[in-house]
Amino acid sequence: VKANGRILAEHQARWAGLVADSQASVAGFAVLQLAKIQKEGLLDAEEAIAALPGIFSHKPKTHAKKAVEMLAEIAEDQSLRSQAVEAITAALMHPNKDVQKPALDALDTHLQSGDDAAIESLRLCLPSVAAILQADAKKLLARVDSGSPAEETTPVAPVAHDLAELQRAAAHI
């Protein structure tokens, strides 16, 4: 198994690049390969942090949830925590609450008041969070944000109704 993990790890840069593929099935397969590399303890976490948010632009939730899990595990490392939580905030742009919920849970565990970039991303993503999760997201923002209170958050754009709108809104972040 370690040999297979090493072979996969040798190609991590390729897998990371494929996470941004326009085809959800290709991007999802790449996430699964990165997850195998992580399981073997061979993942270049910084490269994964940069690549994994690309999966959140795809509608399917399975691979997006896996990416949140992977980023949460990376956030356990204090030297990478801040970068990982910023990447996790991108999951809040995903249209499915089943991806947003574990992202909010991970942020609740790992986000700290000094994570300014992640807090700003959370503030900007708030309008995209599912209605059923809004209270949790606002509570989290109020806990960590030293800026404006969550109730005063001004939406960047109206709530998106399709993936293209979400992608456009994410590009502004």
Side-chain angles (χ1 to χ4, degrees), residues 55-139:
I55 197 67
F56 303 134
S57 66
H58 294 290
K59 191 172 182 174
K61 63 183 180 181
T62 304
H63 300 117
K65 287 171 62 176
K66 175 54 85 176
V68 170
E69 289 173 23
M70 293 173 67
L71 289 165
E73 185 176 325
I74 292 169
E76 297 288 332
D77 179 342
Q78 285 302 307
S79 67
L80 298 168
R81 186 197 52 74
S82 182
Q83 293 171 290
V85 295
E86 186 174 357
I88 292 168
T89 62
L92 298 176
M93 295 298 291
H94 194 278
N96 195 300
K97 67 177 175 36
D98 294 337
V99 174
Q100 295 176 355
K101 176 64 173 143
L104 284 171
D105 290 344
L107 290 170
D108 191 47
T109 300
H110 300 290
L111 186 63
Q112 298 176 4
S113 59
D115 297 327
D116 295 336
I119 292 168
E120 181 62 19
S121 291
L122 174 58
R123 187 182 298 111
L124 294 172
C125 291
L126 195 59
S128 297
V129 174
I132 196 165
L133 301 174
Q134 281 284 324
D136 291 341
K138 288 179 180 180
K139 189 161 118 180

Side-chain angles (χ1 to χ4, degrees), residues 59 93-96 127-128 157-169:
K59 191 172 182 174
M93 295 298 291
H94 194 278
N96 195 300
S128 297
V159 176
H161 296 291
D162 67 16
L163 186 57
E165 287 182 47
L166 286 171
Q167 289 172 324
R168 283 192 295 278

